């Protein structure tokens, strides 16, 4: 019969560890229980991976990582019961510190693997949206794992005490963190609001270009001249975002000025004939041409035409808007319709006398 009160002394170099038979039995039970739980979770995830649509989370890699994590945690606590990992480091047992490190490490691996799986399985048309989802999942899991690990290690309360004791430094760090948190929360809100996605042409204030990348704290836009602009998500979230490609078609607007002496309706008919022949201009909705206002030196005619959104941005303007302007100019020239220069009429209160000298007099 096993005597649960018996003690043994284990010599590990200069260190002596006293083992109690009861603790030995309990440690074996904990290790066996950990093995059983690890097997159950591994089998469950493997079965789930064949039927779930969330295969980027529930897959063979996840099952293997979770199995190894549970076995390691069970081993740490078994050694803790034996007194081998029961040593205190700054008031925290060595087993808790190792468990916290293991939890954070495997959570990081899980987040990274899940992100890679999502990107690998994404179709090209859904890749921009999946990239945002993958980044959001990655940072959420890593952040949660970080605070969970601090709690497991027993450092969460102590960390708060250290920050509180830091005084002015803590306040400065708080203000710095406030900006980071604001950018992070704005990035999350933008994900659900979806005002833009990677690959969209946008205009934000004086910045216009293609969305190059959407990160958790900032968004990067490649302007038409090739330069890259980084906009913090908090500023982006509070700005007026004009998405130039949200919808497949958009209404383009061009203004053309003609001389006052010209027949406005005739000019409108000429412009409409150019629009009818232009392949980039949609027939439905039909284009509209009308006199917009009477300027200081010209009658201004506005042209409304519905065009594919992708052709009315960036470098594509060379073969859409500017090409259309050139055709309208050429058509008006052929019809003899004048596009005037700016004119000014000066009035004087008294007649101006002009002296003309005869150049023939020698």
């Amino acid at each position: 019969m096993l005597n649960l009160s018996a003690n043994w002394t284990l010599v590990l170099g200069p260190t002596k560890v006293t083992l109690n038979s009861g603790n030995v039995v309990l440690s074996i039970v904990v290790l066996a229980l950990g093995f059983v739980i690890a097997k159950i979770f591994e089998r469950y995830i493997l079965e789930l991976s064949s039927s779930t649509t969330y295969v980027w989370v529930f897959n063979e890699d996840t099952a293997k990582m979770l199995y190894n994590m549970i076995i390691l945690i069970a081993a740490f606590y078994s050694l803790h019961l034996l007194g081998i990992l029961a040593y205190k480091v700054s008031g925290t047992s060595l087993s808790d510190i190792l468990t916290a490190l293991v939890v954070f490490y495997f959570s990081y691996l899980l987040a990274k693997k899940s992100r890679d799986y999502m990107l690998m399985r994404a179709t090209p048309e859904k890749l921009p949206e999946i990239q945002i989802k993958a980044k959001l999942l990655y940072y959420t899991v890593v952040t949660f794992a970080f605070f969970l690990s601090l709690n497991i290690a027993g450092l969460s309360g102590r960390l708060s005490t250290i920050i509180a004791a830091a005084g002015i430094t803590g306040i400065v760090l708080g203000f710095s963190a406030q900006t980071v948190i604001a950018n992070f929360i704005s990035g999350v809100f933008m994900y659900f609001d979806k005002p833009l996605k990677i690959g969209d042409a946008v205009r934000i204030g004086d910045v216009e270009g293609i969305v190059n990348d959407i990160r958790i704290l900032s968004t990067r836009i490649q302007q038409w001249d090739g330069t890259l602009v980084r906009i913090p998500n908090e500023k982006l979230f509070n700005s007026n975002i004009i998405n130039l490609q949200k919808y497949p078609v958009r209404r383009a607007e061009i203004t053309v000025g003609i001389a006052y002496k010209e027949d406005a309706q005739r000019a409108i008919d000429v412009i409409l004939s150019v629009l009818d022949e232009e392949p980039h201009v949609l027939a439905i909705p039909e284009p509209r041409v009308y006199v917009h206002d009477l300027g200081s030196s010209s009658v201004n005619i506005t042209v409304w035409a519905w065009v594919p959104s992708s052709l009315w941005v960036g470098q594509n303007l060379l073969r859409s808007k500017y090409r259309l302007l050139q055709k309208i100019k050429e058509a008006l020239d052929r019809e003899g319709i004048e596009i005037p220069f700016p004119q000014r009429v000066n009035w004087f209160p008294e007649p101006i006398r002009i002296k003309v000298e005869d150049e023939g007099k020698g």
Side-chain angles (χ1 to χ4, degrees):
M1 183 174 178
L2 179 63
N3 184 7
L4 298 179
S5 62
N7 294 324
W8 298 280
T9 300
L10 181 64
V11 179
L12 300 173
T15 304
K16 293 182 180 181
V17 179
T18 301
L19 301 179
N20 180 272
S21 57
N23 290 340
V24 172
V25 173
L26 187 57
S27 66
I28 294 174
V29 171
V30 168
L31 191 59
L33 187 62
F35 177 79
V36 172
I37 294 174
K39 273 296 182 184
I40 291 173
F41 272 100
E42 182 185 32
R43 184 173 299 177
Y44 174 74
I45 292 176
L46 288 176
E47 292 176 356
L48 194 61
S49 65
S50 60
S51 58
T52 184
T53 56
Y54 302 104
V55 68
W56 38 272
V57 174
F58 303 102
N59 50 65
E60 293 182 4
D61 288 340
T62 302
K64 184 178 180 181
M65 285 189 294
L66 188 60
Y67 175 85
N68 292 335
M69 184 180 72
I70 294 174
I71 292 296
L72 278 175
I73 293 174
F76 291 154
Y77 279 98
S78 296
L79 294 174
H80 177 85
L81 291 171
L82 294 175
I84 298 175
L85 294 181
Y87 295 105
K88 296 291 184 178
V89 179
S90 299
T92 303
S93 66
L94 190 56
S95 60
D96 287 342
I97 295 176
L98 292 175
T99 300
L101 291 174
V102 167
V103 169
F104 180 78
Y105 176 69
F106 279 100
S107 298
Y108 162 76
L109 290 181
L110 175 63
K112 186 173 181 296
K113 288 283 186 181
S114 299
R115 181 191 63 186
D116 295 342
Y117 264 96
M118 289 180 70
L119 296 176
M120 192 167 49
R121 294 175 61 87
T123 56
E125 60 272 11
K126 289 188 176 182
L127 182 59
E129 181 180 354
I130 296 299
Q131 284 180 327
I132 301 174
K133 288 182 178 180
K135 290 177 181 178
L136 184 61
L137 173 68
Y138 173 80
Y139 285 111
T140 301
V141 172
V142 170
T143 302
F144 177 77
F146 175 74
F147 288 106
L148 178 63
S149 300
L150 286 179
N151 190 59
I152 292 174
L155 298 175
S156 56
R158 195 168 306 159
L159 186 63
S160 301
T161 304
I162 294 173
I163 294 176
I168 297 176
T169 305
I171 295 174
V172 174
L173 291 176
F175 278 113
S176 301
Q178 184 180 10
T179 303
V180 174
I181 293 172
N183 286 326
F184 174 79
I185 295 175
S186 298
V188 174
F189 284 160
M190 283 183 56
Y191 165 73
F192 290 105
D193 190 35
K194 292 183 173 61
L196 47 78
K197 65 179 185 295
I198 296 175
D200 280 353
V202 297
R203 183 186 302 126
I204 304 165
D206 57 352
V207 176
E208 183 175 322
I210 298 291
V211 179
N212 181 273
D213 193 11
I214 302 176
R215 302 189 179 183
I216 204 66
L217 298 179
S218 63
T219 297
R220 286 158 170 76
I221 296 176
Q222 183 178 5
Q223 297 188 108
W224 304 124
D225 60 359
T227 57
L228 190 68
V229 178
R230 175 190 175 275
I231 304 178
N233 283 338
E234 182 187 13
K235 181 179 178 181
L236 187 67
F237 185 72
N238 294 322
S239 300
N240 292 327
I241 301 174
I242 301 176
N243 194 321
L244 304 175
Q245 286 183 275
K246 179 67 174 179
Y247 303 107
V249 296
R250 56 177 290 200
R251 191 186 70 194
E253 185 173 320
I254 297 175
T255 300
V256 179
I258 62 172
Y260 271 89
K261 66 178 182 178
E262 304 294 347
D263 185 347
Q265 185 57 51
R266 180 162 164 262
I268 290 174
D269 293 337
V270 171
I271 295 173
L272 282 173
S273 65
V274 173
L275 297 177
D276 289 339
E277 298 173 358
E278 180 57 44
H280 298 320
V281 176
L282 303 183
I284 301 175
E286 64 179 358
R288 299 186 61 184
V289 182
Y290 59 93
V291 175
H292 178 69
D293 64 9
L294 303 177
S296 59
S297 59
S298 65
V299 176
N300 295 322
I301 297 176
T302 294
V303 180
W304 281 358
W306 287 87
V307 296
S309 298
S310 59
L311 292 178
W312 215 256
V313 293
Q315 301 298 328
N316 290 334
L317 289 174
L318 291 174
R319 58 191 182 98
S320 56
K321 178 180 180 179
Y322 303 138
R323 181 169 173 266
L324 183 60
L325 279 171
Q326 180 179 344
K327 287 190 172 184
I328 291 175
K329 167 68 166 58
E330 292 172 350
L332 293 175
D333 287 344
R334 284 196 301 270
E335 296 297 324
I337 298 175
E338 180 185 351
I339 300 177
F341 293 102
Q343 300 178 11
R344 295 289 182 274
V345 177
N346 298 321
W347 295 88
F348 298 93
E350 297 180 0
I352 298 178
R353 296 180 179 181
I354 301 175
K355 181 179 180 181
V356 181
E357 296 183 355
D358 188 356
E359 295 179 359
K361 293 181 178 181

